[in-house]
Amino acid sequence: QVQLAESGGGSVQSGGSLTLSCAASGYTDNSASMGWFRQVPGKEREGVAAIDRDGNTGYADSVKGRFTISQDNAKRIISLQMNNLKPEDTAMYYCVADSPGSPASLLLRAGRLPLEPDFNYWGQGTQVTVSS
């Protein structure tokens, strides 16, 4: 059973920084792609960033140049460094991971951000609040 455990959410003022982390456990195959989605109550979830086993990354246009996703493959941990945070970044952030054979890695190699259906596993979420 794959489990994802997020940490690092919190409250920060506009212009500040936060780092989210997600540890994956239960994988028998270490080839999974992982990433982050976020959701504001009443709105659809949106992809934020993702990374595959080889380090190919994808970002939402709204966070390019401000957020950086990275990974520690050995420990199966991903991090999301969020700089210059804005009030519109306020959301619940979810760590996601795919199953072997999913199209997520192919999309990332093409420079595209995978979509919600490309990920099979979801964390419980961690809240990020940015005040103006």
Side-chain angles (χ1 to χ4, degrees):
Q1 179 74 19
V2 174
Q3 292 185 323
L4 304 174
E6 303 112 330
S7 61
S11 297
V12 66
Q13 288 191 326
S14 182
S17 298
L18 281 173
T19 301
L20 305 182
S21 295
C22 175
S25 60
Y27 268 111
T28 57
D29 184 323
N30 217 24
S31 63
S33 298
M34 297 178 67
W36 297 91
F37 277 69
R38 65 186 181 187
Q39 187 171 27
V40 176
K43 294 189 177 181
E44 292 186 356
R45 276 189 290 213
E46 64 169 342
V48 176
I51 188 167
D52 72 3
R53 181 75 165 88
D54 297 323
N56 297 295
T57 59
Y59 295 92
D61 288 342
S62 59
V63 306
K64 282 180 181 176
R66 300 188 298 122
F67 290 12
T68 302
I69 189 169
S70 60
Q71 66 184 347
D72 180 331
N73 273 332
K75 297 180 180 178
R76 214 65 193 108
I77 294 174
I78 64 167
S79 297
L80 185 68
Q81 175 66 43
M82 305 184 293
N83 296 328
N84 191 21
L85 281 160
K86 304 176 181 180
E88 51 263 43
D89 294 317
T90 296
M92 184 71 78
Y93 283 71
Y94 296 92
C95 178
V96 296
D98 69 352
S99 295
S102 90
S105 183
L106 289 173
L107 291 168
L108 287 165
R109 270 183 260 162
R112 294 170 56 189
L113 187 63
L115 302 175
E116 187 171 338
D118 298 322
F119 295 100
N120 296 87
Y121 304 104
W122 291 73
Q124 294 296 310
T126 185
Q127 179 67 35
V128 171
T129 302
V130 184
S131 57
S132 57

